[in-house]
Amino acid sequence: MFVYNVDETELLTVPDGWKEPKFTREDNPKGLLEESSFATLFPKYREAYLKECWPLVQKALGDVFINATLDLIEGSMTVHTTKKTYDPYAILRARDLIKLLARSVPFEQAVRILEDDMACDIIKIGTLVRNRERFVKRRQRLIGPKGSTLKALELLTNCYVMVQGNTVSALGPYNGLKEVRKVVLETMKNIHPIYNIKTLMIKQELANDPELRTQSWERFLPNFRHKSLSKRKKPKKKTVKKDYTPFPPPQPESKIDKELATGEFFLRESEKRRKKMTEIKVKQAEALSKRQEQRKKDFIPPKEKPAMKKTKPATTENKIDIQAIKEKVKKAKSKKLGAPPVNPETPSAKDGKRKKVKS
């Protein structure tokens, strides 16, 4: 027995451009041994559309040798194999086709399930939310305004998505169906689809870069945290519960028990009264001293801070030049500005001069 050393990564990776060969008549020339059949019911409002497009359904299934019957009385569609059917998986594709037609998927999209690379997924969302109003809001959030959210999801996953009633029908490649199921379930769990769409857009950009294909993408993907808006108000005073004990609390001591502990019980009545009176007097003295201290507080003057004037150091600018002031005063006296003369004459001499002038 020979053992070949093959790298496991080579086995896990699929070469670019590789496709599985198509299943032909040569792969199964003798056909199938048993006849298989599947049936599904459809709602009343789909009757007119199915009746109109049923010849196209029979023609598409006739290419893979599968018969299809439409029962309008029971409201059911049935597909079953024939003796000429050679592909064993064709009946499963036909079963998915009638399921999609029953879930309001148009025939032009549903017929793509007969291709090899296509698969479908019908996600039940009716039981995920209890409140009906909340369910309708979240379903509308998945569709988006004018179907914009659903269209963005279809472009990123290469899948056709149809929201109808309590189910979401998706048709496309396997990788895309996985992402669609994740987005739908998280939307019904109150996580907005825009977060998942943003993540898918980043993944699509990273997949185009050949250098980043083999690396981890965690550093590029956004990490959205769920914020709980409604928080329970906490009480201001917390009562701490005591540890549970099976034993009852100790019984409080009576007056006699306290007297026995201190020895007062054995004293005489006169001694008890005397002791009680001394205790009362001690309490009265303490209360009196406290009261007197309180009264004295009103007569105690408050401590005043000493008023200290700040003395500025004498600068050269602030110093007064006495000699310069004296000179200014002398100059002012010499000028005749109403000031008396420096050498005043005697009054008698003045009178003589005045008389001479008059004469």
Side-chain angles (χ1 to χ4, degrees):
M1 185 178 179
F2 297 98
V3 179
Y4 296 99
N5 293 325
V6 182
D7 191 6
E8 290 183 0
T9 55
E10 292 181 5
L11 297 173
L12 294 172
T13 54
V14 179
D16 293 336
W18 183 86
K19 280 190 176 182
E20 192 177 348
K22 197 173 181 180
F23 196 85
T24 58
R25 169 72 73 176
E26 295 172 1
D27 297 322
N28 188 16
K30 294 184 179 181
L32 306 175
L33 294 172
E34 295 287 336
E35 183 183 313
S36 303
S37 64
F38 292 98
T40 185
L41 300 172
F42 60 87
K44 185 74 174 174
Y45 61 85
R46 291 289 289 171
E47 186 178 325
Y49 179 80
L50 291 172
K51 193 176 179 180
E52 186 182 345
C53 72
W54 196 249
L56 298 171
V57 175
Q58 287 179 324
K59 186 181 178 183
L61 293 175
D63 296 341
V64 288
F65 304 103
I66 288 175
N67 288 339
T69 55
L70 177 66
D71 192 346
L72 297 174
I73 297 166
E74 290 183 3
S76 64
M77 293 179 283
T78 311
V79 289
H80 56 87
T81 57
T82 59
K83 290 182 180 180
K84 292 183 180 180
T85 308
Y86 61 89
D87 189 357
Y89 199 71
I91 186 66
L92 298 176
R93 295 187 185 281
R95 176 202 64 183
D96 293 339
L97 173 64
I98 59 174
K99 271 188 181 180
L100 292 169
L101 288 170
R103 294 313 310 151
S104 300
V105 177
F107 171 75
E108 291 78 11
Q109 295 291 340
V111 77
R112 291 167 57 203
I113 195 67
L114 299 176
E115 298 173 12
D116 287 339
D117 298 335
M118 287 291 162
C120 73
D121 189 9
I122 295 171
I123 307 156
K124 294 179 181 179
I125 58 173
T127 56
L128 296 176
V129 184
R130 289 183 183 179
N131 192 355
R132 186 67 187 173
E133 291 179 4
R134 198 174 294 167
F135 166 75
V136 172
K137 281 182 182 178
R138 290 180 187 177
R139 186 180 63 183
Q140 187 59 35
R141 192 183 296 165
L142 180 65
I143 297 166
K146 297 182 181 179
S148 57
T149 308
L150 206 64
K151 189 68 180 174
L153 188 63
E154 287 178 355
L155 290 169
L156 289 167
T157 57
N158 296 323
C159 295
Y160 174 80
V161 185
M162 179 74 182
V163 181
Q164 178 69 23
N166 294 333
T167 57
V168 177
S169 306
L171 174 72
Y174 292 99
N175 294 334
L177 292 176
K178 188 178 175 183
E179 296 293 340
V180 169
R181 175 171 275 273
K182 183 188 172 186
V183 173
V184 169
L185 293 177
E186 287 191 356
T187 304
M188 302 313 290
K189 289 178 183 176
N190 203 20
I191 298 170
H192 204 281
I194 195 69
Y195 299 127
N196 288 307
I197 287 170
K198 192 174 183 181
T199 307
L200 287 171
M201 288 172 71
I202 294 166
K203 282 182 179 178
Q204 198 176 53
E205 290 293 326
L206 293 169
N208 295 332
D209 194 347
E211 294 180 0
L212 295 170
R213 279 187 180 180
T214 56
Q215 296 179 13
S216 177
W217 292 351
E218 288 182 3
R219 56 199 170 116
F220 301 108
L221 299 177
N223 186 18
F224 300 108
R225 293 180 181 178
H226 183 69
K227 292 181 180 179
S228 57
L229 298 175
S230 59
K231 290 184 179 179
R232 182 178 170 272
K233 290 182 178 179
K234 295 179 180 179
K236 290 182 179 179
K237 293 180 180 179
K238 290 185 179 180
T239 54
V240 181
K241 290 185 178 180
K242 295 178 181 178
D243 296 332
Y244 172 75
T245 54
F247 307 105
Q251 193 174 359
E253 290 183 351
S254 64
K255 193 176 180 181
I256 297 168
D257 293 335
K258 290 176 181 177
E259 286 179 356
L260 285 168
T262 55
E264 292 178 14
F265 184 77
F266 304 102
L267 296 172
R268 293 176 186 176
E269 287 293 327
S270 59
E271 290 177 351
K272 284 182 182 179
R273 284 176 198 161
R274 199 181 302 127
K275 192 176 181 181
K276 200 171 184 179
M277 286 300 292
T278 53
E279 286 178 359
I280 290 167
K281 284 179 180 178
V282 168
K283 285 182 181 178
Q284 284 178 351
E286 287 177 0
L288 186 65
S289 63
K290 282 182 181 178
R291 209 178 297 121
Q292 286 176 353
E293 285 177 6
Q294 194 70 26
R295 285 175 182 173
K296 285 177 182 178
K297 279 183 182 178
D298 297 335
F299 299 102
I300 297 169
K303 290 181 180 179
E304 294 180 359
K305 293 180 180 179
M308 296 289 289
K309 290 184 179 180
K310 292 181 180 179
T311 55
K312 292 183 180 180
T315 56
T316 53
E317 294 176 1
N318 296 335
K319 284 181 181 179
I320 299 165
D321 194 353
I322 297 165
Q323 195 66 30
I325 291 167
K326 282 181 180 180
E327 289 177 1
K328 282 182 181 179
V329 171
K330 281 181 181 180
K331 285 179 183 179
K333 283 179 179 180
S334 62
K335 291 177 182 178
K336 291 181 181 180
L337 295 172
V342 181
N343 296 319
E345 294 177 2
T346 55
S348 60
K350 274 187 177 182
D351 293 338
K353 282 182 181 180
R354 283 176 187 171
K355 285 175 183 179
K356 285 177 183 179
V357 171
K358 282 181 182 179
S359 60

